[in-house]
Amino acid sequence: MIARDPRDDRWRAAQLALDRFESGRTEVPESAEEASMTGLLELLSDLPPAGWQSVPARPERRGRGLPRVGRRSLRLLAAGAVAACFGVGVLVGSSIGTGPGIQRLRGHEVVLRPVLSGAGGAALAVMPAPGRLILRVEHLRPSQPGTYYELWLMTDLRRLAPVASFRVGRSGEVQLSLELPDAAGAYRYLDISLQRLGAGTAHSSDSVLRGPIA
Amino acid sequence: MAPPPPDLNAEARTPARGSARRDSRATEALIARRPEAIALVMEAHGQVLLGFLEGLLRDRARAEDVLQQVLLELWERGPTYDPDRAGLLTWALTIARSRALDELRRRVPEPLDPATMSERLGAEDHQADRLLEQWRLAGMLERLPRDEATLLRMRFYEGLSQSEISAQTAIPSGTVKTRMVNGLRHLRDLLEREEAGA
């Protein structure tokens, strides 16, 4: 494995290049190594969204809610998002019967229901802006050791794209703020599958929740 | 897709070895011409290859067609592939670049003005090189330790500042920066190793 000596040239070059990048300064790099790091930073900042698909989004920390909205309820969050983006915040107050905290919005949302009737869980995905998705899951079976859940954009089992991996704690709840790939509109469903570590990265065919994208 | 996300508050920083293992299995299978070779290549690098091709061709269907050609070429040339000369991803992307440029040039409306033709072809080459570097980098992100990769994603994909990342993850800002620097350093090492081969 690579040594983590902060004094070595590459580490120092990375630090200098990052400082320069963050401050917006455009001085000539002091070394070839720093120039390479600067190029790397430029590539990273221009990387197409799909290039980040292999990197998991940050996990939601329980008890903190969405970082940018604090502890607001999903209802307020969704209404605010819609109002901000479209000038209207039409909230249909009735529960969809999938959990007390999940409310239904008119438009720009996807309700995910159990694929097998009788199975637990429900989820609501709100798209407050193009390419952005907030997923709220409730009553889902807590992740067992060696398993995780995966959110997919799906048309069928041959045409799908992974969006994010996540685990569910004992509360059965999770809330994620995610970026969608550019071609998200080309898919018909949002799907959550139960995946097993070490069983490959393809869809496991074990879908637990699914909802049609309007 | 990647395994589940890490606990960013955990001290453990386990490198993502799965990606390197997949690469190694695909390489062995290609050289030995085992029937599962192409499936393994797709598992290891399919997303990156398709992303690169789609970025260059700007057409999903054509990108999928060209990807088929690339996979066929990988299969045919597999037994002569020397992993000591370049990593599998670099080799596959190089083939993909050639096939994509062939495809682009087939699509150029005729006749071309000779005065601007070389300029135009040069711009295509440059764009292909830039995209190739970007997607090679994307392929390496999967091999970074998860906590470093996730912080880089938050900074460069989600556009959060280091202090915002610190606030959202409860990781001290100095640690956020240190992990980002470590991530950049690891990325350079990985890119160098991939370019140079095993």
Side-chain angles (χ1 to χ4, degrees):
Chain A
M1 193 55 205
I2 302 158
R4 289 177 187 274
D5 180 0
R7 291 164 300 182
D8 74 55
D9 289 346
R10 180 157 288 178
W11 201 95
R12 199 163 43 241
Q15 190 178 28
L16 281 172
L18 184 62
D19 284 346
R20 202 163 282 183
F21 182 86
E22 297 290 15
S23 67
R25 300 198 309 269
T26 54
E27 297 115 350
V28 178
E30 290 172 8
S31 64
E33 191 62 55
E34 195 189 331
S36 296
M37 283 295 176
T38 302
L40 187 61
L41 286 164
E42 286 168 2
L43 285 174
L44 276 172
S45 59
D46 287 345
L47 197 62
W52 291 97
Q53 277 186 359
S54 67
V55 180
R58 62 189 178 279
E60 191 62 24
R61 296 179 68 240
R62 284 185 60 194
R64 281 175 61 98
L66 277 178
R68 288 183 175 176
V69 295
R71 290 171 176 272
R72 293 177 204 173
S73 69
L74 179 68
R75 179 186 173 114
L76 287 174
L77 165 77
V82 171
C85 295
F86 306 106
V88 288
V90 185
L91 187 69
V92 179
S94 64
S95 164
I96 57 170
T98 53
I102 295 184
Q103 303 290 321
R104 182 167 189 178
L105 281 166
R106 191 186 300 280
H108 310 294
E109 104 287 356
V110 178
V111 178
L112 291 86
R113 299 174 187 279
V115 173
L116 294 173
S117 62
L124 179 65
V126 179
M127 284 169 263
R132 195 129 195 107
L133 182 138
I134 297 167
L135 178 74
R136 169 82 182 166
V137 176
E138 292 186 356
H139 307 300
L140 202 56
R141 189 179 177 211
S143 299
Q144 302 299 304
T147 70
Y148 62 99
Y149 292 102
E150 183 86 38
L151 176 67
W152 303 83
L153 286 159
M154 171 189 274
T155 295
D156 54 48
L157 280 174
R158 293 178 56 199
R159 186 165 173 77
L160 39 75
V163 179
S165 309
F166 61 94
R167 291 176 63 84
V168 175
R170 280 195 295 180
S171 69
E173 298 177 5
V174 71
Q175 190 161 305
L176 302 165
S177 179
L178 304 164
E179 297 278 348
L180 289 173
D182 283 345
Y187 294 89
R188 293 179 61 193
Y189 302 99
L190 280 175
D191 178 275
I192 294 175
S193 66
L194 178 62
Q195 304 284 123
R196 283 169 184 75
L197 283 172
T201 55
H203 193 290
S204 63
S205 301
D206 188 3
S207 294
V208 292
L209 298 174
R210 189 178 298 160
I213 299 172
Chain B
M1 190 53 192
D7 176 359
L8 283 181
N9 297 308
E11 287 303 313
R13 288 185 242 164
T14 310
R17 296 186 190 280
S19 163
R21 267 203 304 270
R22 285 197 295 275
D23 184 278
S24 165
R25 285 210 315 266
T27 300
E28 287 167 18
L30 265 181
I31 292 171
R33 262 208 164 172
R34 291 207 298 271
E36 71 274 23
I38 293 305
L40 290 171
V41 170
M42 279 301 288
E43 190 187 356
H45 301 304
Q47 231 174 45
V48 168
L49 289 170
L50 190 58
F52 166 68
L53 289 168
E54 201 173 350
L56 193 53
L57 297 168
R58 301 193 174 282
D59 182 325
R60 173 83 179 194
R62 281 184 190 273
E64 287 175 354
D65 287 347
V66 173
L67 179 59
Q68 293 300 321
Q69 297 172 32
V70 173
L71 293 172
L72 183 62
E73 191 166 337
L74 286 170
W75 169 256
E76 286 171 345
R77 294 171 57 183
T80 62
Y81 165 56
D82 179 0
D84 289 334
R85 293 184 62 188
L88 177 59
L89 178 60
T90 298
W91 184 51
L93 278 170
T94 306
I95 292 174
R97 177 189 183 281
S98 299
R99 296 295 77 77
L101 287 176
D102 290 347
E103 174 70 14
L104 274 176
R105 284 160 193 173
R106 264 199 297 275
R107 289 160 60 188
V108 172
E110 299 293 344
L112 274 176
D113 177 358
T116 60
M117 186 168 66
S118 64
E119 191 180 319
R120 182 170 180 165
L121 295 181
E124 278 175 358
D125 283 348
H126 177 74
Q127 188 200 2
D129 289 341
R130 172 88 178 165
L131 273 170
L132 190 148
E133 285 309 309
Q134 281 186 332
W135 282 97
R136 207 156 64 89
L137 178 65
M140 295 301 108
L141 285 170
E142 202 179 359
R143 299 186 195 176
L144 278 183
R146 296 260 172 236
D147 57 350
E148 293 171 10
T150 303
L151 292 184
L152 290 177
R153 177 191 161 111
M154 292 173 81
R155 175 65 191 89
F156 294 102
Y157 177 46
E158 299 180 34
L160 300 176
S161 68
Q162 290 181 25
S163 53
E164 284 173 321
I165 294 170
S166 172
Q168 294 195 9
T169 58
I171 297 173
S173 57
T175 309
V176 168
K177 183 179 174 186
T178 301
R179 289 188 189 174
M180 284 175 64
V181 171
N182 281 340
L184 293 170
R185 181 181 185 278
H186 279 133
L187 268 178
R188 282 276 296 135
D189 289 340
L190 286 166
L191 284 165
E192 260 183 16
R193 238 179 288 164
E194 166 67 23
E195 196 163 7

